[in-house]
Amino acid sequence: MENIWKGIMKNKKIGLVQLVLLGLGSLIGSGWLFGSWEATMVAGPAAILSWIVGALVIGAIAYNYVELGAMFPESGGMSKYAQYTHGSLLGFIASWANWVSLVTIIPIEAVAAVQYMSTWPWAWANWTHHFVVRGQITTPGLLVVFGFIAIFTLLNYWSVELLTRFTTFISFFKLGVPILTIVMLTLSGFHPQNYGSNLHEFMPYGSAPIFAATTVSGIIFSFNAFQTIINMGSEVENPKRNIYRGITISLGISALLYILIQSTFITAIDPSEIAKYGWHGINFQSPFADLAILLGIHWLAVLLYVDAFVSPFGTGVSFVASTGRALAAMTSNNHIPKFVGKINEAYGIPRIAMVTNAVLSMLMVSIFRSWGTLAAVISTATLIAYLTGPVTVMSLRKMAPNFTRPVKSKLMKYMAPIAFVLASLATYWAMWPTTVEVIILIALGLPFYFFYEMRQGWDKERAKKQLAGSTWMIGYLVVLSLMSYIGSKEFHGQGWVPYPLDFLMVIIVALGFYFWGTGSRLKTGAFRRAQKVNSKVEK
């Protein structure tokens, strides 16, 4: 099967330009349409700092995965790294958490498109106004969301070549409309005084919301898509250089664009509206289109309504590809049915995995019916999966010093614990009870693991070994939930540990679990598979 896959993909590799556009096509989705508004309601003008914090958190995490992605350029790589260093149980927990976050991105992009549809101002479009009521997708709206999910899947169903052509076209449009929006809103309504003249006006709700907004307002979610490039690893031309370059360039461009978009949103609002309602009261259903209409730029509003289809479409289509490969890669753990990961020989794509994800995406949005709720679920699940990255990269440094590392940083011994701490803090910022709810959602995957363990023949020694490699993570998820519960009231905890001492608590505990995790590394059959994959990497 591997040889067939390689033959199919010959001459269809993704080059650097296409890779960057694929990354941008994923990164610039519904986050720019809603994230600035959501963050401003939480943190006021200080929301601009939330985007900087979010970019730093994801940048530090991506720093670890660049080395891993270059070492193991394989399809769905994000679902395999933890298994290589800590065995199948930790590998399953990490890949399940990552998959939960990815499969939720597909419906959130569809929800974004439908929410903008629900505010179409034209008389002939009155039938769309019932799609969203009080921020929640209604049953008629849900059916439209299902339709979008089906289209996202079909656009990936035939080939990688079709995917790259589609996302190349979409990415140019997705970059152009936000830039045009920044220019036009700035020219039509620029009120820099909205930032305030003192610290209290700049941070009207204090400093804690700056951090909370990174997770609960979809900022982490907006930057999460860098992993699309890693999950396409085996399809990348010259992965030794292009994985690193693709992630760095696409993350850098998107971070700059998101910060400019946030600043534009803050300064475009009429000061009288802020004086009347406060930042908490700025209530838009279709934020930038509503702003354009208020400023009399009706043609821009129409363009934004169009982009509300295009941006989510680009991200949704890209993530159907990434999520399909992530689910297919999980079959190598032997805890997901093998047929799910079957690669279609005619087109070289995991069709069954894609269809499975489409069905589960529809189930997910049936339960979580708002953009904000879905964004919080995605951010928290993603961060939990990312906790294994820093531990894995440093474990491999000790377990396999002779592995080929096309990208090797001298600062990794510092960056890995920093990334682990930042991922832990961002998980805490999701606030109680979101943290524990997502952890429970991740725990729901464990029955699959144990069911397949029993089918393979329960081996007490093997089970003991696997548990030894993952006890630190299981324990940390429990402790994270506990810290969220006893933490400060600013993050919806009980207030037993006040802000900002709760940050110090998380940092100290995180470092303890990081060193426990790196010390829990073990060599299993998965490590031998890692050797095989790495042996094919050019030095």
Side-chain angles (χ1 to χ4, degrees), residues 29 89 133 174 198 237 249 279 331 336 359 417 439 459-460:
L89 179 53
V133 175
K174 291 175 69 173
N198 55 58
E237 181 182 282
I249 295 170
W279 291 103
T331 61
I336 294 290
V359 173
I439 288 171
D459 186 303
K460 186 176 179 181

Side-chain angles (χ1 to χ4, degrees), residues 380 431-442 477 480-482 484:
T380 311
M431 301 195 290
W432 178 272
T434 303
T435 44
V436 72
E437 288 172 349
V438 176
I439 288 171
I440 290 171
L441 188 62
I442 292 168
L477 293 180
L480 271 173
S481 299
L482 180 61
S484 181

Side-chain angles (χ1 to χ4, degrees), residues 23-287:
L24 288 172
S26 301
L27 283 159
I28 304 171
S30 60
W32 93 268
L33 294 168
F34 291 98
S36 297
W37 165 57
E38 295 267 3
T40 303
M41 285 201 302
V42 172
I48 195 165
L49 298 181
S50 301
W51 288 94
I52 296 172
V53 171
L56 291 173
V57 170
I58 291 297
I61 292 169
Y63 191 89
N64 297 265
Y65 282 102
V66 165
E67 179 169 319
L68 292 169
M71 287 176 69
F72 308 107
E74 52 187 333
S75 184
M78 293 284 289
S79 298
K80 300 178 181 179
Y81 303 143
Q83 183 182 3
Y84 290 161
T85 58
H86 288 76
S88 64
L89 179 53
L90 184 67
F92 181 85
I93 293 170
S95 59
W96 182 269
N98 187 54
W99 173 75
V100 166
S101 70
L102 289 175
V103 82
T104 312
I105 288 176
I106 300 170
I108 198 175
E109 297 303 325
V111 166
V114 172
Q115 185 159 332
Y116 262 69
M117 278 180 67
S118 71
T119 62
W120 280 352
W122 307 289
W124 60 265
N126 287 340
W127 57 278
T128 67
H129 296 173
H130 303 292
F131 288 170
V132 178
V133 175
R134 291 188 292 275
Q136 300 287 315
I137 295 291
T138 62
T139 300
L142 197 61
L143 295 176
V144 181
V145 169
F146 289 171
F148 282 137
I149 292 171
I151 294 170
F152 295 164
T153 304
L154 289 172
L155 283 170
N156 275 274
Y157 204 68
W158 286 282
S159 73
V160 171
E161 189 175 11
L162 176 63
L163 167 65
T164 54
R165 285 180 179 177
F166 179 81
T167 52
T168 297
F169 167 75
I170 289 291
S171 296
F172 284 117
F173 189 84
K174 291 175 69 173
L175 279 170
V177 174
I179 292 171
L180 183 62
T181 301
I182 290 169
V183 172
M184 294 309 303
L185 291 184
T186 301
L187 291 174
S188 303
F190 184 58
H191 307 288
Q193 64 267 35
N194 287 351
Y195 276 112
S197 57
N198 55 58
L199 193 62
H200 174 70
E201 290 179 353
F202 179 65
M203 296 191 300
Y205 311 119
S207 59
I210 295 171
F211 303 102
T214 61
T215 304
V216 303
S217 300
I219 293 174
I220 293 293
F221 151 68
S222 297
F223 288 124
N224 174 49
F226 80 87
Q227 63 170 288
T228 301
I229 294 173
I230 293 175
N231 280 327
M232 301 291 285
S234 64
E235 293 131 274
V236 175
E237 181 182 282
N238 192 6
K240 176 180 178 179
R241 293 193 306 172
N242 287 345
I243 289 177
Y244 165 73
R245 291 178 177 180
I247 290 174
T248 303
I249 295 170
S250 59
L251 262 181
I253 293 173
S254 61
L256 177 62
L257 190 62
Y258 276 126
I259 290 168
L260 288 173
I261 289 167
Q262 178 65 73
S263 181
T264 301
F265 184 85
I266 291 169
T267 57
I269 299 173
D270 191 311
S272 63
E273 293 292 309
I274 301 167
K276 186 176 181 180
Y277 299 107
W279 291 103
H280 281 336
I282 304 299
N283 189 16
F284 293 131
Q285 192 86 322
S286 304

Side-chain angles (χ1 to χ4, degrees), residues 289-313:
D290 291 345
L291 267 178
I293 290 171
L294 286 173
L295 293 171
I297 320 172
H298 294 281
W299 65 266
L300 180 61
V302 173
L303 186 61
L304 285 163
Y305 284 126
V306 173
D307 187 66
F309 281 98
V310 175
S311 287
F313 254 79

